Amino acid sequence: MTENQTWVTEFILLGFPLSPLTQVFLFGLFSLFYAFTLLGNSTILGLIWLDSRLHTPMYFFLSHLAVVDIAYASNNVPKMLANLLNKEKTISFVPCIMQTFLYMAFAHTECLILVMMSYDRYVAICHPLRYTVIMNWRVCTVQAIISWACGSLLALVHVVLILRLPFCGPHEINHFFCEILSVLKLACADTWLNQVVIFAASVFILVGPLCLVLVSYTRILFAILRIQSGEGRRKAFSTCSSHLCVVGLFFGSAIVMYMAPKSRHPEEQQKILSLFYSLFNPMLNPLIYSLRNTDVKGALRRVLWLERSM
């Protein structure tokens, strides 16, 4: 390093290079999506809290998924919305690193929560007589704690490796938030170790869990096909298809983002992928679970009927 280099104390988030009118339109559209995200996931949380019939392991994990989705969107979207209207699109170094940490922590946690949900469905359908013994509340609580702890620890590893790097310029992040790959491009040192750890973490947190989910659902499919009752088979398909939709949306976009060759999709396409699982996934998850899940729709009707009666 030469003596006349200065350390970066803030970054500029370039966001989307669009006309002012288009940015105002996107501000309104994304604000609406963000409001739907908060409303939908808060509704799921409220229904699970209020309806005792939803006090089961499946909805215990669904409530954690709703919390993760709210936190995940709230970490990235408000700053993006502010930058769509502001000419100054700066973010200080410490808030940027904190945003990276929270983004990675919530993403990792969501992967693990989805695996726990698939295991819950596997036990419920393949081992129904032992379900209450295997998936007792102590086991569910431990699984949730492990998901949050592992997600946070993995994110901490990424942040520690980022903080060892010097950032002496340039200071323009070609993204709408402090996404880890975009931040690493600004480092004034070799980032091979960071890239190796990101790839290894992707294998551990994306490929590994996805394989577990696919194995679980392969066995679930065979178990469903053996169910004699048409109503039982329909309910099992409805519940499992909801979860598979969520898994496909999240894991698919994340694997393309972090494991596909970077030459396959330019930076603007990476922004769209990030937007998909930062905003659209958290918004779609409650819609998928409410529209395709008879228990959630029944709980909503009971809560609305109770309020009308009061």
Side-chain angles (χ1 to χ4, degrees), residues 72 103 107-108 111 179 181 198 202 205-207 210 247-260 262 265 273-274 276-277 281:
Y72 197 50
Y103 156 74
H108 292 154
C111 289
E179 195 271 331
L181 296 178
I198 289 172
S202 298
I205 209 75
L206 289 175
V207 178
L210 182 58
V247 168
L249 288 171
F250 185 84
F251 280 89
S253 55
I255 287 174
V256 170
M257 181 70 184
Y258 290 102
M259 301 198 71
K262 296 300 177 284
H265 45 276
L273 283 170
S274 297
F276 186 83
Y277 60 77
N281 265 2

Side-chain angles (χ1 to χ4, degrees), residues 215-235:
V215 169
S216 297
Y217 273 96
T218 300
R219 301 194 64 177
I220 286 171
L221 178 61
F222 287 118
I224 290 176
L225 294 177
R226 289 196 300 266
I227 295 176
Q228 300 297 324
S229 167
E231 178 64 22
R233 187 182 300 177
R234 187 194 61 78
K235 185 175 181 180

Side-chain angles (χ1 to χ4, degrees), residues 262-280:
K262 296 300 177 284
S263 59
R264 297 282 180 87
H265 45 276
E267 290 182 334
E268 295 306 315
Q269 191 173 342
Q270 291 182 33
K271 294 180 192 178
I272 296 173
L273 283 170
S274 297
L275 187 64
F276 186 83
Y277 60 77
S278 295
L279 180 59
F280 297 153

